[in-house]
Coordinates of all heavy atoms in Angstrom, one line a residue:
A1274 N 60.1 -39.0 36.2 CA 60.1 -40.5 36.0 C 59.7 -40.9 34.6 O 60.3 -41.8 34.0 CB 59.1 -41.1 37.0
A1275 N 58.7 -40.2 34.1 CA 58.2 -40.5 32.7 C 59.2 -40.2 31.6 O 59.4 -41.0 30.7 CB 56.8 -39.8 32.5
M1276 N 59.8 -39.0 31.7 CA 60.8 -38.6 30.7 C 62.0 -39.6 30.7 O 62.5 -40.0 29.7 CB 61.3 -37.2 31.0 CG 60.2 -36.1 30.8 SD 59.9 -35.9 29.0 CE 61.4 -35.1 28.5
N1277 N 62.4 -40.0 31.9 CA 63.6 -40.9 32.0 C 63.3 -42.3 31.4 O 64.3 -43.0 31.1 CB 64.1 -41.0 33.4 CG 64.7 -39.7 33.9 OD1 65.1 -38.8 33.1 ND2 64.8 -39.5 35.2
N1278 N 62.1 -42.6 31.3 CA 61.7 -44.0 30.9 C 60.8 -44.0 29.7 O 60.3 -45.0 29.3 CB 61.0 -44.7 32.1 CG 61.9 -44.9 33.2 OD1 62.7 -45.9 33.3 ND2 61.8 -44.1 34.3
N1279 N 60.8 -42.9 28.9 CA 60.1 -42.8 27.7 C 58.6 -43.2 27.8 O 58.1 -43.9 26.9 CB 60.8 -43.6 26.6 CG 62.2 -43.1 26.3 OD1 62.4 -41.9 26.1 ND2 63.1 -44.0 26.3
K1280 N 58.0 -42.8 28.9 CA 56.5 -43.0 29.1 C 55.7 -41.7 29.1 O 56.3 -40.7 29.3 CB 56.3 -43.8 30.4 CG 57.1 -45.1 30.5 CD 56.6 -46.1 29.5 CE 57.3 -47.4 29.6 NZ 57.0 -48.4 28.5
V1281 N 54.4 -41.9 28.8 CA 53.5 -40.8 28.9 C 52.7 -41.0 30.2 O 52.1 -42.0 30.4 CB 52.5 -40.7 27.7 CG1 51.5 -39.6 27.9 CG2 53.3 -40.4 26.4
A1282 N 52.7 -39.9 31.0 CA 51.9 -40.0 32.3 C 50.9 -38.8 32.3 O 51.3 -37.7 32.4 CB 52.9 -39.9 33.5
M1283 N 49.7 -39.2 32.3 CA 48.6 -38.2 32.3 C 48.1 -38.0 33.7 O 47.6 -39.0 34.3 CB 47.5 -38.6 31.4 CG 46.5 -37.6 31.0 SD 47.0 -36.4 29.8 CE 47.3 -37.5 28.4
I1284 N 48.2 -36.8 34.3 CA 47.8 -36.6 35.7 C 46.6 -35.7 35.8 O 46.3 -35.0 34.9 CB 48.9 -36.1 36.6 CG1 49.3 -34.6 36.1 CG2 50.2 -37.0 36.5 CD1 50.1 -33.8 37.2
S1285 N 45.9 -35.8 37.0 CA 44.8 -34.9 37.3 C 43.7 -34.9 36.3 O 43.2 -33.9 35.9 CB 45.4 -33.5 37.5 OG 46.3 -33.5 38.6
V1286 N 43.3 -36.1 36.0 CA 42.2 -36.3 35.0 C 40.9 -36.6 35.7 O 40.8 -37.4 36.6 CB 42.5 -37.4 34.0 CG1 41.3 -37.7 33.1 CG2 43.8 -37.1 33.2
G1287 N 39.8 -35.9 35.4 CA 38.5 -36.1 36.0 C 37.6 -34.9 35.6 O 37.8 -34.4 34.5
W1288 N 36.8 -34.4 36.5 CA 36.0 -33.3 36.1 C 36.4 -32.0 36.8 O 36.2 -30.9 36.3 CB 34.5 -33.6 36.3 CG 34.0 -34.0 37.6 CD1 34.0 -35.2 38.1 CD2 33.4 -33.1 38.6 NE1 33.4 -35.2 39.4 CE2 33.0 -33.9 39.7 CE3 33.1 -31.8 38.7 CZ2 32.4 -33.5 40.8 CZ3 32.5 -31.3 39.8 CH2 32.2 -32.1 40.9
D1289 N 37.1 -32.1 38.0 CA 37.7 -30.9 38.6 C 38.8 -31.4 39.6 O 38.4 -31.8 40.7 CB 36.7 -30.0 39.2 CG 37.4 -28.6 39.4 OD1 38.5 -28.4 39.0 OD2 36.7 -27.7 40.0
P1290 N 40.0 -31.4 39.2 CA 40.6 -30.9 37.9 C 40.2 -31.9 36.7 O 40.0 -33.0 36.9 CB 42.1 -30.9 38.1 CG 42.3 -32.0 39.2 CD 41.1 -31.9 40.1
G1291 N 40.2 -31.3 35.5 CA 39.9 -32.0 34.3 C 39.0 -31.2 33.4 O 39.4 -30.2 32.9
M1292 N 37.7 -31.6 33.3 CA 36.8 -30.9 32.4 C 36.6 -29.5 32.8 O 36.5 -28.6 32.0 CB 35.5 -31.7 32.4 CG 35.6 -33.2 32.0 SD 36.5 -33.4 30.4 CE 35.4 -32.6 29.2
F1293 N 36.4 -29.2 34.2 CA 36.3 -27.9 34.6 C 37.5 -27.0 34.3 O 37.4 -25.9 33.9 CB 36.0 -27.8 36.1 CG 34.6 -28.0 36.5 CD1 33.7 -28.5 35.6 CD2 34.1 -27.7 37.8 CE1 32.3 -28.7 35.9 CE2 32.8 -27.9 38.1 CZ 31.9 -28.4 37.2
S1294 N 38.7 -27.6 34.4 CA 40.0 -26.9 34.1 C 40.0 -26.5 32.6 O 40.4 -25.4 32.3 CB 41.2 -27.9 34.4 OG 41.1 -28.5 35.6
L1295 N 39.6 -27.4 31.7 CA 39.6 -27.1 30.3 C 38.6 -25.9 30.1 O 38.9 -25.0 29.3 CB 39.1 -28.3 29.5 CG 40.1 -29.4 29.2 CD1 39.4 -30.5 28.5 CD2 41.3 -28.8 28.4
N1296 N 37.5 -25.9 30.7 CA 36.5 -24.9 30.5 C 37.0 -23.5 31.0 O 36.7 -22.5 30.4 CB 35.1 -25.3 31.0 CG 34.4 -26.2 30.1 OD1 33.8 -25.8 29.1 ND2 34.6 -27.5 30.3
R1297 N 37.7 -23.6 32.1 CA 38.3 -22.3 32.6 C 39.3 -21.8 31.6 O 39.3 -20.6 31.4 CB 38.9 -22.6 34.0 CG 37.9 -22.7 35.2 CD 38.6 -22.7 36.5 NE 39.2 -24.0 36.8 CZ 38.7 -25.0 37.5 NH1 37.5 -24.8 38.0 NH2 39.3 -26.1 37.8
L1298 N 40.1 -22.7 31.1 CA 41.1 -22.2 30.1 C 40.5 -21.6 28.9 O 40.8 -20.5 28.4 CB 42.0 -23.4 29.7 CG 43.2 -23.1 28.9 CD1 44.3 -24.1 29.1 CD2 42.9 -23.1 27.4
Y1299 N 39.5 -22.4 28.3 CA 38.8 -21.9 27.1 C 38.2 -20.5 27.3 O 38.3 -19.6 26.5 CB 37.7 -22.9 26.6 CG 38.2 -24.1 26.0 CD1 37.7 -25.4 26.3 CD2 39.3 -24.1 25.1 CE1 38.1 -26.6 25.7 CE2 39.7 -25.3 24.5 CZ 39.1 -26.5 24.8 OH 39.6 -27.7 24.2
A1300 N 37.5 -20.4 28.4 CA 36.8 -19.2 28.7 C 37.7 -18.0 28.9 O 37.5 -16.9 28.5 CB 35.9 -19.4 29.9
N1301 N 38.8 -18.2 29.6 CA 39.8 -17.2 29.9 C 40.5 -16.7 28.6 O 40.8 -15.5 28.4 CB 40.9 -17.6 30.9 CG 40.5 -17.4 32.3 OD1 41.0 -16.4 32.9 ND2 39.7 -18.3 32.8
A1302 N 40.7 -17.7 27.7 CA 41.3 -17.3 26.4 C 40.4 -16.5 25.5 O 40.8 -15.6 24.8 CB 41.8 -18.6 25.6
I1303 N 39.1 -16.8 25.6 CA 38.1 -16.2 24.7 C 37.7 -14.8 25.3 O 37.5 -13.8 24.6 CB 36.9 -17.1 24.6 CG1 37.2 -18.3 23.8 CG2 35.7 -16.3 23.9 CD1 36.2 -19.5 23.9
L1304 N 37.6 -14.7 26.6 CA 37.2 -13.5 27.3 C 38.3 -13.1 28.3 O 38.2 -13.3 29.5 CB 35.9 -13.7 28.1 CG 34.6 -14.0 27.2 CD1 33.4 -14.2 28.1 CD2 34.3 -12.8 26.2
P1305 N 39.4 -12.5 27.8 CA 40.5 -12.1 28.6 C 40.2 -11.1 29.7 O 40.8 -11.1 30.8 CB 41.6 -11.6 27.7 CG 40.8 -11.2 26.5 CD 39.6 -12.1 26.4
H1306 N 39.2 -10.3 29.5 CA 38.7 -9.4 30.6 C 37.5 -9.9 31.2 O 36.4 -9.8 30.6 CB 38.5 -8.0 30.0 CG 39.7 -7.2 29.6 ND1 39.8 -5.9 29.4 CD2 41.0 -7.7 29.5 CE1 41.0 -5.5 29.1 NE2 41.8 -6.6 29.1
G1307 N 37.6 -10.4 32.4 CA 36.5 -11.0 33.1 C 36.8 -11.6 34.4 O 37.9 -11.5 34.9
C1308 N 35.8 -12.4 34.9 CA 36.0 -13.0 36.2 C 35.6 -14.5 36.1 O 34.6 -14.9 35.4 CB 35.1 -12.3 37.3 SG 35.5 -10.6 37.6
D1309 N 36.3 -15.4 36.9 CA 36.0 -16.8 36.9 C 35.2 -17.1 38.2 O 35.5 -16.6 39.3 CB 37.3 -17.6 36.9 CG 38.0 -17.6 35.6 OD1 37.3 -17.8 34.6 OD2 39.2 -17.5 35.6
Y1310 N 34.3 -18.1 38.1 CA 33.6 -18.6 39.3 C 33.4 -20.1 39.1 O 33.0 -20.6 38.0 CB 32.2 -17.9 39.4 CG 32.2 -16.4 39.6 CD1 32.2 -15.6 38.5 CD2 32.3 -15.9 40.9 CE1 32.3 -14.2 38.7 CE2 32.4 -14.5 41.1 CZ 32.4 -13.7 40.0 OH 32.4 -12.3 40.2
T1311 N 33.7 -20.8 40.2 CA 33.4 -22.3 40.2 C 32.5 -22.6 41.4 O 32.9 -22.2 42.5 CB 34.7 -23.1 40.2 OG1 35.5 -22.8 39.1 CG2 34.4 -24.6 40.2
F1312 N 31.4 -23.3 41.1 CA 30.5 -23.7 42.1 C 30.5 -25.3 42.1 O 30.4 -25.8 41.0 CB 29.1 -23.2 42.0 CG 29.0 -21.7 42.2 CD1 29.2 -20.8 41.1 CD2 28.7 -21.2 43.4 CE1 29.1 -19.5 41.3 CE2 28.6 -19.8 43.6 CZ 28.8 -18.9 42.5
W1313 N 30.5 -25.9 43.2 CA 30.4 -27.4 43.3 C 29.1 -27.8 43.9 O 28.7 -27.2 44.9 CB 31.6 -28.0 44.1 CG 32.9 -27.7 43.4 CD1 33.5 -28.4 42.4 CD2 33.9 -26.7 43.8 NE1 34.7 -27.8 42.1 CE2 35.0 -26.8 42.9 CE3 33.9 -25.7 44.8 CZ2 36.1 -26.0 43.0 CZ3 35.0 -24.9 44.9 CH2 36.1 -25.0 44.0
G1314 N 28.5 -28.8 43.4 CA 27.3 -29.4 44.0 C 26.0 -29.1 43.2 O 26.1 -28.5 42.2
K1315 N 24.9 -29.5 43.7 CA 24.8 -30.2 45.0 C 25.4 -31.6 44.8 O 25.0 -32.3 43.9 CB 23.3 -30.3 45.4 CG 23.1 -31.0 46.8 CD 21.7 -31.0 47.2 CE 21.5 -31.7 48.5 NZ 20.1 -31.7 49.0
G1316 N 26.2 -32.0 45.8 CA 26.8 -33.3 45.7 C 27.5 -33.8 46.9 O 27.8 -33.0 47.8
V1317 N 27.8 -35.1 46.9 CA 28.5 -35.7 48.1 C 30.0 -35.4 48.0 O 30.6 -35.7 47.0 CB 28.2 -37.2 48.1 CG1 29.1 -37.8 49.2 CG2 26.8 -37.5 48.3
S1318 N 30.5 -34.8 49.1 CA 32.0 -34.7 49.2 C 32.5 -35.9 50.0 O 32.2 -36.0 51.2 CB 32.3 -33.4 49.9 OG 33.7 -33.3 50.2
Q1319 N 33.2 -36.7 49.3 CA 33.7 -37.9 50.0 C 34.7 -37.6 51.1 O 34.7 -38.3 52.2 CB 34.3 -38.9 49.0 CG 33.2 -39.4 48.0 CD 33.7 -40.4 47.0 OE1 33.8 -41.6 47.3 NE2 34.0 -39.9 45.8
G1320 N 35.6 -36.6 50.9 CA 36.5 -36.3 51.9 C 35.9 -35.7 53.2 O 36.2 -36.0 54.3

């Protein structure tokens, strides 16, 4: 839709996905041999 209409559409912006995603990418690029872990909370899950 965006390509056909010359628009920019930014999706999945927030902290996860978003800021956490960026940090996973940076860390994987810097330390290619390793393991990823993501922990959420303590916090309210609205769903």
Side-chain angles (χ1 to χ4, degrees):
M1276 288 291 289
N1277 289 342
N1278 294 279
N1279 297 314
K1280 301 297 182 184
V1281 175
M1283 193 77 61
I1284 68 163
S1285 300
V1286 176
W1288 57 275
D1289 197 5
M1292 304 308 295
F1293 275 15
S1294 312
L1295 281 176
N1296 282 275
R1297 284 189 284 263
L1298 187 154
Y1299 286 138
N1301 273 261
I1303 293 164
L1304 296 175
H1306 285 197
C1308 298
D1309 287 316
Y1310 299 90
T1311 301
F1312 293 88
W1313 296 281
K1315 182 179 180 179
V1317 174
S1318 171
Q1319 295 182 80

